[in-house]
Amino acid sequence: MLDRFDDHNDVSRSWEVFGGQLGTGCGNLSLGNSLYFGKPGYRIAHTMDLDTTNLRTLQFIVQLGSVQNTATCRRPQDRSENVFVQFSTNHGLAWSTLRELNYQFFSHKPTAVELNLPKIAKSSTTSFRWWQPIGKKGREKAQWAIDNVQVLGNHKNSKGFHDTFNPIVIENWFLTQHGIPRPGCASADKALTFAADHTEEHYAETWDFEIQSATFLQYDINLGCGYHSNPFTVQLEFSIDKGRTWSLVSPPCMPPDVGCTSYSSGTVHTSDQYSNWTRITVYLPHRAISPSTRFRWIEVMKYSGHAWAIDNVYLGDACPWMCSGHGYCTGKKCLCDAGFKPPHCVPEKPLPCELRDTFDSFSNQTVWPEIYGGEISSRCGVLVSGTALVFYKEGVRMAVTQDLDLTAAQYIQFTLKYGCHGSVPATITRGNGIFVQFSNNGGITWHLLKELHFSAETAPQFYMIPLKDPTALTNATRLRLWQPITASTSVMQWAIDDFYVGGMIVKPNVLYDPLDLIPQPDAWLFWPGGGMEDFCMSNKARDSLVFSSTEGERSLYTRDMTVMDDYVIQFELKVGCGITISPEDPVSLQYSSDQG
């Protein structure tokens, strides 16, 4: 037996009801209507006779009054307003109690109840009833409601589902507290959307499913729906005991934690990072494997709820290569993102093989599709020259690159500054450091390349990180810099400048650049403080690379080259542009054989 009370027809086909009707007088217990009891007099819901010989449990959701004490769902006062769950094996002549629903516990929120059927309740003519005894004359009792009533046997749970909420497949969901399928949150179609005008918990809970080692979970999420005033989080959890206890699918792992495979924020999603629609693909842990596992997305609430939504939920067997993190899994097949091709969602065309950014203009959203907690500015001073990418905001501090073809890449280099204007506190923990990580599957999993410990040294420092891990050298690898533990805006700020990833296995052995228009990108890495101008304002019209910046470094770096014994270097140089300069400020010609 299963009844969700979602149709608008009379329930008399399966129930005998006194004092109740379909409605939402006590709110949405699940999706749509529930069986609501608010009339005076008898309040009884009585099922038809059922054959429970081979059945095991009775499950339902109940709300007994409300601590909000609304007109249609009043706060219960004492035990006389409790509701009894009973069974009869003789057509209702005699009743035995399975559970007394206590007003103190069941008035806070819609609560799932599972009752094991005793041996004496298993017969070919068993019926169940929910009964609130008549109280004293003239005294109104608290209203109540039930939903999602089912009597289950030793059935085998489904192995998964796919729901786009257009329309919602109600068989997939046990309870959606304040979540309604509707257009919103800038979704292309309907999504399961949670409004911000409730003080009760916001969550979506699935039914039980059989989880195996090859099962994984994928979904889209949007926190804040484009606007929110205060940061909040939504967690993905699982339960293997019918919702009695819950655990995070993937707990956060941050220093000084040990024993986890990689550092990540797990399935704790923050509104800072997921304020736009984002696809998330989750490997399920071994501890979630069971014949009866359910999942829920729940907002961690402090005062009142926020607007958020989920969409395109898929639970089932993994698609090939998990769609490489660049597509949706739909029944063992991948629906690939634009620019990626099936069956594994690999790049259709070669991706860029290097990334170079001086952060001297607005951030390039193609190169850096995700930047959280930072912006291009000079608030951290000059690191190399001009502006830098400065991370100073509260919450998540992270920068993620586009996917790159790093099959021939050699290293990553950048200049980093810890602390801005004395923002390094006296006590620094390992968690305040910065991780340089890579992902070769579209951000599903992240692996550590280098951990940069936060230092009291606040001068800009140059870093070169060799790319020696072969799993990082793929045709679709993305990088990220991430500070796991932050504080307020005033402390532990940091900034990066002149970021480069690339290099070549076979180095060029010739460099020629007349420097007529712009420095040739295939010849030079960076030229901080320099720009193409008239050569020292000479009468002869001649553009040259002129270094006239008054702040930061003034230099010109070649790419790595192959240099033989008989090589020479030739160039034209003019220092001072006719003005005598101090011998303490020479222009030096240097070389490096270890990537700088």
Side-chain angles (χ1 to χ4, degrees), residues 348-361:
E348 289 181 332
K349 299 178 181 178
L351 297 173
C353 60
E354 69 173 16
L355 185 156
R356 176 173 49 188
D357 202 335
T358 61
F359 306 108
D360 287 332
S361 60

Side-chain angles (χ1 to χ4, degrees), residues 113-129:
V113 178
E114 180 181 22
L115 303 176
N116 292 320
L117 298 182
K119 187 175 181 179
I120 57 174
K122 297 181 179 182
S123 75
S124 58
T125 57
T126 298
S127 57
F128 299 93
R129 78 172 181 181

Side-chain angles (χ1 to χ4, degrees), residues 225-529:
C225 297
Y227 60 91
H228 64 276
S229 57
N230 298 309
F232 68 98
T233 61
V234 171
Q235 300 181 167
L236 172 63
E237 303 172 329
F238 75 94
S239 172
I240 56 175
D241 57 6
K242 308 293 185 183
R244 294 187 185 92
T245 59
W246 293 91
S247 303
L248 284 169
V249 171
S250 177
C253 179
M254 302 177 186
D257 297 340
V258 295
C260 40
T261 57
S262 64
Y263 293 120
S264 74
S265 56
T267 53
V268 179
H269 309 313
T270 64
S271 56
D272 292 328
Q273 186 174 357
Y274 297 98
S275 58
N276 296 305
W277 280 108
T278 305
R279 179 179 59 231
I280 297 176
T281 304
V282 181
Y283 287 103
L284 298 180
H286 182 76
R287 64 185 186 280
I289 298 175
S290 82
S292 183
T293 303
R294 65 179 59 178
F295 299 90
R296 75 173 179 183
W297 291 258
I298 181 168
E299 179 182 349
V300 180
M301 295 179 57
K302 294 183 179 179
Y303 306 107
S304 61
H306 299 80
W308 56 281
I310 58 174
D311 201 0
N312 296 321
V313 180
Y314 174 84
L315 176 69
D317 291 340
C319 286
W321 297 5
M322 303 283 279
C323 302
S324 303
H326 295 289
Y328 290 95
C329 190
T330 56
K332 297 185 179 182
K333 291 184 178 181
C334 292
L335 180 62
C336 299
D337 298 336
F340 296 85
K341 61 183 180 180
H344 302 105
C345 296
V346 296
E348 289 181 332
K349 299 178 181 178
L351 297 173
C353 60
E354 69 173 16
L355 185 156
R356 176 173 49 188
D357 202 335
T358 61
F359 306 108
D360 287 332
S361 60
F362 295 107
S363 60
N364 188 329
Q365 291 190 343
T366 301
V367 174
W368 300 95
E370 298 179 66
I371 296 178
Y372 309 106
E375 64 184 17
I376 293 176
S377 74
S378 57
R379 66 181 295 133
C380 205
V382 176
L383 275 67
V384 180
S385 70
T387 53
L389 181 55
V390 184
F391 293 87
Y392 67 94
K393 300 178 182 179
E394 293 187 52
V396 177
R397 294 178 183 172
M398 180 190 299
V400 184
T401 72
Q402 67 183 126
D403 289 302
L404 301 166
D405 185 344
L406 300 186
T407 51
Q410 301 294 295
Y411 59 90
I412 304 168
Q413 72 173 54
F414 52 89
T415 298
L416 182 142
K417 182 177 181 180
Y418 295 104
C420 302
H421 311 297
S423 69
V424 179
T427 56
I428 305 171
T429 68
R430 184 182 168 196
N432 303 134
I434 299 162
F435 292 144
V436 183
Q437 298 175 300
F438 74 91
S439 174
N440 55 18
N441 54 13
I444 298 175
T445 55
W446 291 92
H447 309 279
L448 185 65
L449 280 172
K450 183 77 172 178
E451 181 179 353
L452 309 178
H453 298 283
F454 217 92
S455 169
E457 173 61 51
T458 58
Q461 301 177 50
F462 175 81
Y463 287 91
M464 192 282 295
I465 304 173
L467 292 173
K468 296 182 178 179
D469 189 335
T471 61
L473 305 180
T474 74
N475 66 343
T477 299
R478 65 181 60 173
L479 305 168
R480 78 174 179 184
L481 292 93
W482 173 44
Q483 185 180 25
I485 301 176
T486 62
S488 65
T489 58
S490 61
V491 299
M492 293 180 291
Q493 302 171 10
W494 52 283
I496 58 171
D497 203 358
D498 281 10
F499 186 92
Y500 175 78
V501 54
M504 293 176 284
I505 298 175
V506 178
K507 312 295 190 296
N509 57 8
V510 175
L511 186 155
Y512 174 73
D513 191 349
L515 294 170
D516 287 336
L517 298 175
I518 60 171
Q520 296 180 9
D522 58 350
W524 312 98
L525 274 180
F526 297 104
W527 45 96

Side-chain angles (χ1 to χ4, degrees), residues 207-220:
W207 284 106
D208 297 312
F209 291 91
E210 180 182 353
I211 303 302
Q212 301 175 337
S213 58
T215 308
F216 84 111
L217 184 59
Q218 187 179 69
Y219 52 93
D220 291 340

Side-chain angles (χ1 to χ4, degrees), residues 509-557:
N509 57 8
V510 175
L511 186 155
Y512 174 73
D513 191 349
L515 294 170
D516 287 336
L517 298 175
I518 60 171
Q520 296 180 9
D522 58 350
W524 312 98
L525 274 180
F526 297 104
W527 45 96
M532 299 303 296
E533 301 177 17
D534 289 341
F535 182 56
C536 291
M537 304 301 292
S538 64
N539 293 328
K540 183 179 178 181
R542 178 179 180 181
D543 280 344
S544 304
L545 185 57
V546 179
F547 295 86
S548 57
S549 172
T550 58
E551 288 187 300
E553 184 177 307
R554 291 187 283 188
S555 53
L556 175 64
Y557 295 88

